[in-house]
Amino acid sequence: MDSNSSKKNNSEKSPFEILGVSKDAAFEDIQKARDIKVKEAGEDLILKAKIESSFDQLLMDSLKARQSGNVSFAAESASKKEKQINEFTKNKFPLLSKIKNLNNNANKSSQYSLPKITTPSFENLLVKLSVGILFLIFLLISPDSNIRLLLSISTLILTYTQIKSGKRFIGSLGWSVTFLSIGLIFGGLLETNSFIQEISNNSLSIQKVQSIPAMIILWLGVIFL
């Protein structure tokens, strides 16, 4: 009578009760509990079968929960622990919490940071350098009416190379225009130099003298950004 009631009670137990784990237990804890229960069962094949069946059922439930988009036991447990740690840190160590928020804000604003300078491969460097020298030669030999066109094309090439490297269009265009503006400012400063004025009077126009630094800076950006 007692054995029958005991078997009946065991059959009514849930898989969590048979394995001796809580409903929010992680998968690793459930697996460890299964191993312990199997050892404790000894030669009782029926009990071992129930333990294995309970483990399989929890495993299938976990897989179904993941497929349906529900949170797994391990993920839910980790989320609870993370919330507890964050609350404890915020209450006990407010300075650390502020530093963590500053780091998160810095990561979010990384897309607006300065462009990274990279070292291109030799073949890529040779191609870009050759095209840049070609544009500079065109600038020197072309009529002054073509200067704006050459500078505009160089600016677009710099924008394209930045976008190709993973940067956003607005940021890439902004940096390209900035490089162009810096080059034109340098060109304006060169115009006031007496030696440069003497050269321009003999061979180059003032417009070309002003545009040479802008062309050089733009193509340095194409090569290294």
Side-chain angles (χ1 to χ4, degrees), residues 37-38 54 66 71 89 117 143 152 171 176 179-180 195 200 209:
K37 290 295 182 180
V38 169
S54 299
R66 291 184 181 183
V71 181
T89 304
I117 298 176
S152 300
S176 299
F179 277 38
L180 175 63
F195 177 72
S200 64
V209 171

Side-chain angles (χ1 to χ4, degrees), residues 1 15 31 44 73 86 106 111 117 148 162 178 197 206:
M1 180 73 176
Q31 193 172 17
D44 191 341
F73 300 126
N86 290 337
Q111 56 180 337
I117 298 176
R148 290 185 179 181
Q162 291 187 80
T178 301
Q197 287 180 351
I206 294 297

Side-chain angles (χ1 to χ4, degrees), residues 21-32:
V21 295
S22 60
K23 293 184 178 180
D24 59 348
F27 176 76
E28 291 80 5
D29 297 332
I30 296 174
Q31 193 172 17
K32 290 178 182 179

Side-chain angles (χ1 to χ4, degrees), residues 61-73 75-76:
D61 291 343
S62 178
L63 292 175
K64 289 179 180 178
R66 291 184 181 183
Q67 291 176 354
S68 61
N70 296 330
V71 181
S72 62
F73 300 126
E76 186 177 0

